[in-house]
Amino acid sequence: MKNYTAVISAVIAFAVTSLLGYIVIPYLRKLKFGQTILDIGPKWHKEKQGTPTMGGVMIMAGVIIAVAIGYTTSALSGERFSYELKSSYRLTVFLAGIVMALCMGLIGFIDDYIKVVKKRNLGLTARQKTFLQLLVSALYLVTLSVAGMKTTYIPFVGDVDISSGFGLLFWPVALMFIYGFTNAVNLTDGLDGLASSVTLVVACAFMLASGYLGLISINVVSASLGGACAGFLIWNAKPAKVFMGDTGSMFLGGMAVALSFGIGRPILLILAGCLYFIEAISVMLQVSYYKLTKKRLFKMAPLHHHFEMCGWSEQKTVFVFSFIAFIGCFLALLTVIYGW
């Protein structure tokens, strides 16, 4: 019997997320949870002032409901998803990843809440946000270590012992990796449909990778994330009716991290999540170059704003950036299929 749990979960996530738009968006408008567009951004973004934000709760709900229903139907039918989670290690990896992503989303929610309700445009302070993100990341890694994570896969090398010797360096590097990646996804969320489109591509890549590796639990979560991103795009594609806010972008970052650790190959995010890294690096280069020369390397950072300033439409930028993400994901999949 073929396993259709992932397909069912993707459809449910798409349906839940898209249908929630009819409820959540009017409610956000009623609460006047509108986005404040800062003056430092492109001037034409001012027309987006007041667009409801914190729509990331739609994605979070879509993923959680889809995974829950997927597990229930799998358990009732005796399919591999529920059977796989009888392993204490697989169950811990599965639950810890989802909880970590939800906690990242909660940090984003608090940040958004301060911005739109308390009228503090910058939300949480940099120190507060950094502390909370590092705390969540550290607890996630501790959980994986206690559960029995002893190796990590590196292309062209194979499984590397991370329980002793030089392998212990993996843990502090992983801590900064998770922190940096989550913020990189947050930086990518700057155009209508950009973060959700790129993450849809990334989710599909991990769905294929986990399916190839026979990890049904991660396969279902990946499918649910992809379905939720597709459902959100109905409302978030230009002209956006709602923004995901830090609530959504930080949840997406946490989910992508969880998927990479879930298949035992977090290093694949360097390829699969290459677009996120390009965006983050563009900001770091801009800041560093300006400090050294008092000149701008890009017309505006993150990089998607640079291309906007060069005359690209939002739709063109989203398409090109999503295609770049596709190329990175394709290369990541090759390392999985051919065991590089």
Side-chain angles (χ1 to χ4, degrees):
M1 179 178 178
K2 294 183 178 180
N3 192 308
Y4 295 106
T5 307
V7 176
I8 293 172
S9 297
V11 172
I12 292 173
F14 174 83
V16 170
T17 305
S18 56
L19 291 176
L20 275 177
Y22 292 103
I23 302 173
V24 173
I25 296 175
Y27 186 67
L28 290 174
R29 287 190 180 280
K30 182 179 180 180
L31 294 176
K32 297 182 179 179
F33 280 11
Q35 179 73 45
T36 299
I37 306 299
L38 301 179
D39 293 331
I40 58 175
K43 294 180 180 180
W44 51 88
H45 279 207
K46 277 293 183 180
E47 64 188 35
K48 302 180 182 184
Q49 183 86 16
T51 301
T53 188
M54 302 171 74
V57 295
M58 297 159 56
I59 301 175
M60 296 168 71
V63 171
I64 298 305
I65 291 174
V67 171
I69 293 177
Y71 175 79
T72 302
T73 56
S74 175
L76 293 175
S77 62
E79 290 185 348
R80 287 179 57 193
F81 179 21
S82 58
Y83 179 78
E84 181 180 299
L85 294 185
K86 289 183 179 180
S87 162
S88 60
Y89 177 72
R90 293 311 314 172
L91 178 62
T92 302
V93 171
F94 170 74
L95 291 177
I98 292 177
V99 171
M100 180 270 292
L102 287 173
C103 287
M104 290 296 188
L106 178 59
I107 295 171
F109 181 87
I110 296 171
D111 194 41
D112 286 334
Y113 183 84
I114 293 173
K115 290 176 184 176
V116 301
V117 177
K118 301 298 183 180
K119 305 302 180 183
R120 279 173 44 191
N121 286 346
L122 297 180
L124 289 170
T125 65
R127 285 188 177 183
Q128 291 171 333
K129 187 181 289 187
T130 297
F131 172 77
L132 291 173
Q133 288 176 315
L134 288 175
L135 176 63
V136 170
S137 301
L139 290 175
Y140 173 62
L141 291 173
V142 168
T143 301
L144 295 183
S145 178
V146 172
M149 183 177 176
K150 303 296 183 184
T151 63
T152 188
Y153 186 88
I154 297 179
F156 303 105
V157 176
D159 288 326
V160 176
D161 182 14
I162 56 174
S163 62
S164 61
F166 286 109
L168 292 173
L169 290 174
F170 167 82
W171 300 104
V173 171
L175 178 67
M176 299 311 299
F177 182 82
I178 297 172
Y179 167 76
F181 187 83
T182 305
N183 283 293
V185 178
N186 183 238
L187 289 171
T188 304
D189 181 34
L191 299 179
D192 294 357
L194 180 56
S196 39
S197 294
V198 171
T199 306
L200 172 58
V201 175
V202 173
C204 289
F206 278 105
M207 182 176 66
L208 293 173
S210 57
Y212 182 82
L213 295 171
L215 299 170
I216 305 303
S217 58
I218 305 303
N219 190 242
V220 169
V221 177
S222 302
S224 299
L225 179 62
C229 286
F232 189 71
L233 271 170
I234 291 179
W235 302 100
N236 187 234
K238 188 175 178 62
K241 305 297 189 299
V242 66
F243 298 141
M244 66 175 65
D246 287 2
T247 305
S249 61
M250 291 182 65
F251 174 73
L252 294 183
M255 284 300 301
V257 167
L259 297 179
S260 67
F261 276 85
I263 66 171
R265 306 183 182 205
I267 198 171
L268 284 190
L269 269 182
I270 295 176
L271 287 174
C274 65
L275 194 282
Y276 303 126
F277 284 110
I278 290 171
E279 291 274 54
I281 291 171
S282 72
V283 174
M284 290 187 285
L285 288 175
Q286 181 84 321
V287 173
S288 299
Y289 189 77
Y290 186 80
K291 286 182 177 179
L292 290 172
T293 67
K294 301 302 178 182
K295 297 180 181 179
R296 301 181 189 277
L297 183 62
F298 304 106
K299 292 184 177 181
M300 187 175 291
L303 194 59
H304 55 259
H305 287 322
H306 170 79
F307 287 104
E308 268 197 294
M309 301 293 283
C310 289
W312 285 25
S313 66
E314 288 193 50
Q315 295 94 326
K316 179 179 179 179
T317 306
V318 170
F319 175 80
V320 172
F321 278 37
S322 297
F323 184 70
I324 293 172
F326 171 80
I327 294 174
C329 287
F330 178 74
L331 294 175
L333 283 172
L334 288 180
T335 69
V336 174
I337 295 172
Y338 292 102
W340 293 344

